[in-house]
Amino acid sequence: MSETQVVAIIGWGTAGVNAAIALRAAGYAGVIRAFSDTDVPPYSPILTSYYVGGEKTYDECFPWSADELAELDVEVVSGSRVCLLNPARRLIRTEAGEEYTYTKCIVCVGARPTTVGFPAGCGYEPLVLRTMDDAARMKEAFNSSACERALVSGASMIALKCVEAALNCGINVSMVGMNDHVLDFSALPEAAARFERGLAAKGVGMRFGQTISQVEVLEGEPRKLRVTFSGGDVEEFDEIVVAHGVRSDFGFIAEGSVEIDRAIVVDDFMRTSASDVYAAGDAAQALDLVSSEKRVLGIWKTAALQGQCAGRAIAAELAGGEPEATDAYPGAIMTNTIAVNGTLFISAGASQAAEGQRVEVRETEDMTVACIYEPESDGSERLIGFNVASDTDEPGGAAYDTGAMLSLRIEEACRK
Ligand SMILES: Cc1cc2nc3c(=O)[nH]c(=O)nc-3n(C[C@H](O)[C@H](O)[C@H](O)COP(=O)(O)OP(=O)(O)OC[C@H]3O[C@@H](n4cnc5c(N)ncnc54)[C@H](O)[C@@H]3O)c2cc1C
């Protein structure tokens, strides 16, 4: 093995760290250089809302200890974004103006919240949630004595996590969503409606089928935000959170050098269309077992598995071989679990029924279970997705058991 081998990892989050872990576990002893646009160690975006709401400390948001990271022997170029990846020249440039070459490169840049749809230029920068900086800003805002009422725009999982954080800070919180229910594209209407009943019981205000059409900043002590909704209502809030989805920023990749669809398209070993460039995590579009299509699943476990897959494949190739077929990315199914102050939602697989698919809904005293079935050619049906909405969030309780059992059935059916 040449001493000049360098594996560059752009983005030092879970996909990046897991790629480094897999490289070292597979015996790669060359240089690993990770590029991070932040000065903090790799953190878990999942835990940011719990930090805001006071359920986790700042330090608890960092899954890897300093010793564990040091053991990986990774040279981290931090505090500066990568602004150019040029696969033709194997070149990486940072915003600080430094240039680096590589032997293999993995793009693990995750995704950033978008504020598209929020009235830009209104004089107020809405709160968003992804990074530790975002979380620190939200925590400060929610803990200010001037913050009594917050509006969350969006109805996704991340929006709901922000609602929970606001409730835990003792804030009166409302949501506005452009679709008919919470959980936008992740829930069937029956399960979403049950979840909404739980939110209403906790005092969460909800407006659906509407958006924010105008925000006026009312200067004063304290300053207020007068919001006009698309339905015509006008209300005042102290802070606004925007959770309108996420997007990866691939502007740093030399134009046309890597195939990008919704994210970077990868093969079974996370290889992109550019030689020696790999992608993993929220930045990659890989196999979704339910649809058999390449999709971004946007979940932690998938990012970790994809990072590991890329790391193993690179280690094999740099050792002069080929990755083992058994190390190929096996695909994944979308899963979601969210609890807002005791109201629980669990889902996996397909979240909407397409034409020809059947939805079955079962309501019990404390739970709604909605399942989506797809007809098979032999006349049977296979389960391809489910939602469980429960009025109680009891670890190890019936809702979690049902969720685990149904997830397993979907995965088994997909892998047949
Ligand atoms: C509030 C919230 C709650 C969530 N809850 C859940 C949950 O309950 N369960 C679940 O499975 N998933 C959840 N997720 C999603 C999960 O956090 C992500 O799927 C996972 O973090 C993706 O890992 P990643 O390594 O691809 O990206 P990230 O963790 O985002 O890491 C990418 C890193 O790259 C950096 N970067 C970006 N561009 C550049 C550049 N040009 N140069 C250098 N560095 C760059 C970013 O700043 C970041 O540090 C949640 C996400 C959020 C925001």
Side-chain angles (χ1 to χ4, degrees):
M1 188 186 69
S2 151
E3 276 182 21
T4 54
Q5 285 182 340
V6 176
V7 177
I9 298 175
I10 305 178
W12 197 217
T14 186
V17 173
N18 275 281
I21 291 170
L23 278 159
R24 292 299 185 218
Y28 172 72
V31 173
I32 303 178
R33 183 172 293 128
F35 294 86
S36 172
D37 60 358
T38 164
D39 285 321
V40 298
Y43 53 88
S44 168
I46 299 175
L47 302 177
T48 51
S49 66
Y50 304 119
Y51 166 59
V52 174
E55 293 165 273
K56 293 271 175 207
T57 65
Y58 184 84
D59 288 349
E60 282 171 339
C61 297
F62 299 89
W64 297 277
S65 69
D67 287 349
E68 284 165 338
L69 292 171
E71 229 171 78
L72 294 174
D73 190 18
V74 173
E75 180 190 321
V76 183
V77 179
S78 62
S80 181
R81 284 186 80 249
V82 166
C83 59
L84 177 72
L85 165 64
N86 184 338
R89 294 174 55 206
R90 293 171 184 274
L91 182 78
I92 288 170
R93 186 182 302 139
T94 67
E95 278 180 346
E98 289 163 344
E99 293 195 342
Y100 302 83
T101 56
Y102 62 83
T103 318
K104 302 269 187 187
C105 173
I106 318 175
V107 179
C108 304
V109 292
R112 286 284 301 143
T114 169
T115 54
V116 166
F118 182 80
C122 67
Y124 171 77
E125 187 65 38
L127 301 166
V128 294
L129 192 58
R130 178 92 187 190
T131 66
M132 292 309 294
D133 284 351
D134 296 336
R137 184 173 167 237
M138 191 179 286
K139 192 174 177 73
E140 193 183 339
F142 282 1
N143 285 332
S144 155
S145 57
C147 187
E148 292 175 352
R149 296 199 73 207
L151 173 67
V152 175
S153 178
S156 63
M157 289 281 170
I158 291 177
L160 287 166
K161 289 197 169 198
C162 296
V163 167
E164 188 189 37
L167 288 173
N168 286 342
C169 292
I171 297 171
N172 177 304
V173 59
S174 290
M175 302 180 76
V176 55
M178 64 192 295
N179 294 318
D180 293 340
H181 287 285
V182 282
L183 292 160
D184 290 327
F185 307 108
S186 318
L188 292 157
E190 296 83 358
R194 181 146 205 161
F195 197 77
E196 285 158 17
R197 291 204 293 275
L199 292 177
K202 285 156 189 74
V204 177
M206 282 168 275
R207 269 189 186 81
F208 293 116
Q210 294 192 46
T211 54
I212 296 175
S213 52
Q214 198 189 347
V215 176
E216 213 181 321
V217 181
L218 307 176
E219 294 303 346
E221 268 310 316
R223 83 84 189 89
K224 296 275 176 196
L225 303 164
R226 179 178 291 153
V227 175
T228 307
F229 295 97
S230 54
D233 292 351
V234 178
E235 271 195 64
E236 285 182 13
F237 297 92
D238 300 300
E239 298 290 350
I240 303 172
V241 176
V242 171
H244 290 179
V246 295
R247 284 197 190 147
S248 299
D249 178 2
F250 298 127
F252 67 93
I253 300 177
E255 206 180 332
S257 61
V258 174
E259 186 190 348
I260 297 173
D261 180 24
R262 281 173 177 271
I264 300 175
V265 181
V266 292
D267 72 6
D268 292 350
F269 295 99
M270 303 295 125
R271 293 178 290 215
T272 71
S273 61
S275 67
D276 297 321
V277 178
Y278 300 67
D282 288 7
Q285 200 170 307
L287 179 65
D288 164 40
L289 284 174
V290 169
S291 64
S292 301
E293 287 169 4
K294 290 191 175 172
R295 287 182 54 204
V296 182
L297 293 189
I299 51 179
W300 177 268
K301 187 177 160 196
T302 306
L305 290 176
Q306 292 178 1
Q308 289 167 17
C309 177
R312 276 195 299 270
I314 290 173
E317 288 169 9
L318 290 180
E322 281 292 315
E324 299 282 337
T326 48
D327 281 338
Y329 179 62
I333 61 173
M334 185 66 187
T335 57
N336 277 310
T337 301
I338 180 155
V340 177
N341 289 15
T343 297
L344 178 67
F345 176 82
I346 306 172
S347 70
S351 51
Q352 310 285 320
E355 211 182 311
Q357 295 171 349
R358 184 175 69 86
V359 175
E360 186 181 280
V361 180
R362 187 163 49 85
E363 297 258 0
T364 62
E365 204 179 309
D366 64 352
M367 203 163 43
T368 297
V369 182
C371 293
I372 305 175
Y373 294 93
E374 183 173 67
E376 297 273 65
S377 51
D378 64 1
S380 65
E381 288 183 318
R382 74 170 178 134
L383 178 68
I384 58 164
F386 77 86
N387 295 173
V388 173
S390 167
D391 305 335
T392 52
D393 172 22
E394 188 196 328
Y400 282 100
D401 279 352
T402 306
M405 181 267 291
L406 294 175
S407 297
L408 202 65
R409 269 181 60 192
I410 295 175
E411 191 144 357
E412 277 173 3
C414 288
R415 292 196 191 280
K416 260 190 197 161

Short mmCIF file of all heavy atoms in Angstrom, two decimals, residues 224-253:
data_model
loop_
_atom_site.label_atom_id
_atom_site.label_comp_id
_atom_site.label_asym_id
_atom_site.label_seq_id
_atom_site.Cartn_x
_atom_site.Cartn_y
_atom_site.Cartn_z
N LYS A 224 -42.68 41.81 18.82
CA LYS A 224 -43.67 40.78 18.49
C LYS A 224 -43.66 40.52 16.99
O LYS A 224 -43.21 41.38 16.21
CB LYS A 224 -45.08 41.23 18.90
CG LYS A 224 -45.26 41.42 20.39
CD LYS A 224 -45.61 40.11 21.05
CE LYS A 224 -45.70 40.25 22.56
NZ LYS A 224 -45.67 38.95 23.25
N LEU A 225 -44.17 39.37 16.60
CA LEU A 225 -44.26 39.02 15.19
C LEU A 225 -45.74 38.86 14.85
O LEU A 225 -46.41 37.98 15.41
CB LEU A 225 -43.51 37.71 14.93
CG LEU A 225 -42.04 37.73 15.34
CD1 LEU A 225 -41.48 36.31 15.41
CD2 LEU A 225 -41.22 38.59 14.38
N ARG A 226 -46.25 39.77 14.02
CA ARG A 226 -47.67 39.67 13.64
C ARG A 226 -47.75 38.83 12.36
O ARG A 226 -47.20 39.20 11.31
CB ARG A 226 -48.26 41.05 13.40
CG ARG A 226 -49.74 40.95 12.98
CD ARG A 226 -50.37 42.30 12.78
NE ARG A 226 -50.52 43.03 14.02
CZ ARG A 226 -50.54 44.36 14.10
NH1 ARG A 226 -50.40 45.10 13.01
NH2 ARG A 226 -50.68 44.97 15.25
N VAL A 227 -48.42 37.68 12.48
CA VAL A 227 -48.47 36.73 11.37
C VAL A 227 -49.85 36.75 10.74
O VAL A 227 -50.87 36.63 11.43
CB VAL A 227 -48.15 35.29 11.87
CG1 VAL A 227 -48.31 34.27 10.75
CG2 VAL A 227 -46.73 35.23 12.45
N THR A 228 -49.87 36.90 9.42
CA THR A 228 -51.13 36.76 8.67
C THR A 228 -51.08 35.40 7.98
O THR A 228 -50.12 35.09 7.26
CB THR A 228 -51.27 37.87 7.60
OG1 THR A 228 -51.10 39.14 8.26
CG2 THR A 228 -52.63 37.81 6.93
N PHE A 229 -52.10 34.58 8.24
CA PHE A 229 -52.16 33.26 7.62
C PHE A 229 -52.90 33.35 6.29
O PHE A 229 -53.70 34.27 6.07
CB PHE A 229 -52.86 32.27 8.56
CG PHE A 229 -52.08 32.03 9.82
CD1 PHE A 229 -52.38 32.74 10.99
CD2 PHE A 229 -51.03 31.13 9.84
CE1 PHE A 229 -51.65 32.53 12.16
CE2 PHE A 229 -50.29 30.92 11.01
CZ PHE A 229 -50.60 31.62 12.17
N SER A 230 -52.66 32.33 5.43
CA SER A 230 -53.28 32.39 4.10
C SER A 230 -54.81 32.34 4.19
O SER A 230 -55.50 32.82 3.29
CB SER A 230 -52.75 31.26 3.22
OG SER A 230 -52.91 30.02 3.87
N GLY A 231 -55.34 31.80 5.30
CA GLY A 231 -56.81 31.78 5.47
C GLY A 231 -57.36 33.12 5.94
O GLY A 231 -58.58 33.26 6.08
N GLY A 232 -56.49 34.07 6.23
CA GLY A 232 -56.93 35.41 6.61
C GLY A 232 -56.77 35.74 8.08
O GLY A 232 -56.82 36.91 8.46
N ASP A 233 -56.61 34.72 8.95
CA ASP A 233 -56.44 35.00 10.39
C ASP A 233 -55.15 35.77 10.63
O ASP A 233 -54.15 35.58 9.92
CB ASP A 233 -56.33 33.69 11.19
CG ASP A 233 -57.63 32.92 11.21
OD1 ASP A 233 -58.64 33.47 10.75
OD2 ASP A 233 -57.60 31.75 11.65
N VAL A 234 -55.16 36.58 11.68
CA VAL A 234 -53.95 37.32 12.08
C VAL A 234 -53.69 37.03 13.56
O VAL A 234 -54.63 37.12 14.38
CB VAL A 234 -54.13 38.85 11.86
CG1 VAL A 234 -52.88 39.60 12.31
CG2 VAL A 234 -54.44 39.15 10.40
N GLU A 235 -52.45 36.68 13.91
CA GLU A 235 -52.11 36.40 15.32
C GLU A 235 -50.70 36.89 15.61
O GLU A 235 -49.88 36.97 14.69
CB GLU A 235 -52.15 34.90 15.59
CG GLU A 235 -53.50 34.38 16.02
CD GLU A 235 -53.37 32.98 16.62
OE1 GLU A 235 -52.71 32.83 17.67
OE2 GLU A 235 -53.91 32.06 16.00
N GLU A 236 -50.43 37.15 16.88
CA GLU A 236 -49.07 37.59 17.24
C GLU A 236 -48.32 36.47 17.97
O GLU A 236 -48.90 35.74 18.78
CB GLU A 236 -49.14 38.82 18.13
CG GLU A 236 -49.49 40.07 17.33
CD GLU A 236 -49.53 41.34 18.17
OE1 GLU A 236 -49.06 41.31 19.32
OE2 GLU A 236 -50.05 42.34 17.66
N PHE A 237 -47.04 36.34 17.63
CA PHE A 237 -46.16 35.35 18.26
C PHE A 237 -44.86 36.02 18.66
O PHE A 237 -44.54 37.11 18.19
CB PHE A 237 -45.86 34.20 17.27
CG PHE A 237 -47.09 33.43 16.87
CD1 PHE A 237 -47.82 33.79 15.73
CD2 PHE A 237 -47.55 32.37 17.63
CE1 PHE A 237 -48.96 33.11 15.37
CE2 PHE A 237 -48.70 31.68 17.27
CZ PHE A 237 -49.40 32.05 16.14
N ASP A 238 -44.10 35.31 19.51
CA ASP A 238 -42.78 35.84 19.90
C ASP A 238 -41.67 35.25 19.04
O ASP A 238 -40.65 35.89 18.81
CB ASP A 238 -42.53 35.52 21.39
CG ASP A 238 -43.60 36.17 22.26
OD1 ASP A 238 -43.70 37.40 22.22
OD2 ASP A 238 -44.36 35.44 22.91
N GLU A 239 -41.84 33.98 18.62
CA GLU A 239 -40.84 33.35 17.76
C GLU A 239 -41.55 32.47 16.74
O GLU A 239 -42.66 31.98 16.99
CB GLU A 239 -39.87 32.46 18.58
CG GLU A 239 -39.04 33.20 19.61
CD GLU A 239 -37.95 34.11 19.00
OE1 GLU A 239 -37.70 34.04 17.77
OE2 GLU A 239 -37.39 34.92 19.76
N ILE A 240 -40.87 32.25 15.61
CA ILE A 240 -41.41 31.36 14.58
C ILE A 240 -40.33 30.34 14.21
O ILE A 240 -39.17 30.71 13.96
CB ILE A 240 -41.82 32.13 13.30
CG1 ILE A 240 -42.86 33.21 13.64
CG2 ILE A 240 -42.37 31.17 12.24
CD1 ILE A 240 -43.17 34.15 12.47
N VAL A 241 -40.72 29.07 14.22
CA VAL A 241 -39.82 27.99 13.77
C VAL A 241 -40.27 27.59 12.38
O VAL A 241 -41.47 27.39 12.16
CB VAL A 241 -39.92 26.76 14.69
CG1 VAL A 241 -39.06 25.62 14.15
CG2 VAL A 241 -39.54 27.11 16.12
N VAL A 242 -39.33 27.46 11.46
CA VAL A 242 -39.68 26.96 10.13
C VAL A 242 -39.08 25.56 9.95
O VAL A 242 -37.87 25.37 10.07
CB VAL A 242 -39.19 27.93 9.03
CG1 VAL A 242 -39.35 27.30 7.65
CG2 VAL A 242 -39.98 29.23 9.09
N ALA A 243 -39.96 24.59 9.70
CA ALA A 243 -39.52 23.22 9.43
C ALA A 243 -40.18 22.80 8.12
O ALA A 243 -41.17 22.07 8.10
CB ALA A 243 -39.93 22.30 10.59
N HIS A 244 -39.65 23.31 7.04
CA HIS A 244 -40.23 23.09 5.71
C HIS A 244 -39.45 22.05 4.92
O HIS A 244 -39.41 22.09 3.70
CB HIS A 244 -40.26 24.40 4.91
CG HIS A 244 -41.25 25.41 5.41
ND1 HIS A 244 -41.43 26.65 4.85
CD2 HIS A 244 -42.14 25.34 6.44
CE1 HIS A 244 -42.37 27.31 5.51
NE2 HIS A 244 -42.81 26.54 6.48
N GLY A 245 -38.78 21.14 5.62
CA GLY A 245 -38.02 20.11 4.91
C GLY A 245 -36.55 20.47 4.81
O GLY A 245 -36.13 21.54 5.26
N VAL A 246 -35.80 19.54 4.25
CA VAL A 246 -34.34 19.73 4.15
C VAL A 246 -33.87 19.53 2.70
O VAL A 246 -34.53 18.86 1.92
CB VAL A 246 -33.57 18.75 5.08
CG1 VAL A 246 -33.87 19.04 6.53
CG2 VAL A 246 -33.86 17.30 4.74
N ARG A 247 -32.72 20.13 2.43
CA ARG A 247 -32.11 19.97 1.11
C ARG A 247 -30.61 19.87 1.28
O ARG A 247 -30.04 20.56 2.14
CB ARG A 247 -32.36 21.19 0.24
CG ARG A 247 -33.75 21.21 -0.27
CD ARG A 247 -33.94 22.14 -1.43
NE ARG A 247 -35.39 22.21 -1.64
CZ ARG A 247 -36.02 23.26 -2.06
NH1 ARG A 247 -35.36 24.35 -2.35
NH2 ARG A 247 -37.32 23.24 -2.24
N SER A 248 -29.97 19.06 0.46
CA SER A 248 -28.50 19.03 0.47
C SER A 248 -27.99 20.13 -0.43
O SER A 248 -28.63 20.47 -1.42
CB SER A 248 -28.00 17.68 -0.03
OG SER A 248 -28.47 16.65 0.79
N ASP A 249 -26.85 20.67 -0.06
CA ASP A 249 -26.22 21.69 -0.90
C ASP A 249 -25.05 21.06 -1.64
O ASP A 249 -24.00 20.77 -1.06
CB ASP A 249 -25.72 22.84 0.00
CG ASP A 249 -25.02 23.92 -0.81
OD1 ASP A 249 -24.96 23.78 -2.05
OD2 ASP A 249 -24.54 24.89 -0.20
N PHE A 250 -25.25 20.83 -2.94
CA PHE A 250 -24.20 20.20 -3.74
C PHE A 250 -23.51 21.21 -4.65
O PHE A 250 -22.84 20.84 -5.62
CB PHE A 250 -24.79 19.07 -4.60
CG PHE A 250 -25.39 17.96 -3.79
CD1 PHE A 250 -26.69 17.53 -4.02
CD2 PHE A 250 -24.66 17.33 -2.79
CE1 PHE A 250 -27.25 16.50 -3.27
CE2 PHE A 250 -25.20 16.30 -2.03
CZ PHE A 250 -26.51 15.89 -2.27
N GLY A 251 -23.68 22.49 -4.32
CA GLY A 251 -23.11 23.54 -5.16
C GLY A 251 -21.59 23.49 -5.25
O GLY A 251 -20.99 24.07 -6.15
N PHE A 252 -20.96 22.77 -4.32
CA PHE A 252 -19.49 22.70 -4.32
C PHE A 252 -18.95 21.63 -5.28
O PHE A 252 -17.74 21.55 -5.51
CB PHE A 252 -18.98 22.44 -2.89
CG PHE A 252 -19.35 21.07 -2.35
CD1 PHE A 252 -18.48 20.00 -2.49
CD2 PHE A 252 -20.57 20.86 -1.72
CE1 PHE A 252 -18.83 18.75 -2.00
CE2 PHE A 252 -20.92 19.62 -1.23
CZ PHE A 252 -20.04 18.55 -1.36
N ILE A 253 -19.84 20.80 -5.81
CA ILE A 253 -19.38 19.71 -6.69
C ILE A 253 -19.30 20.24 -8.13
O ILE A 253 -20.29 20.79 -8.64
CB ILE A 253 -20.34 18.51 -6.61
CG1 ILE A 253 -20.39 17.98 -5.18
CG2 ILE A 253 -19.92 17.41 -7.58
CD1 ILE A 253 -21.36 16.84 -4.95
#
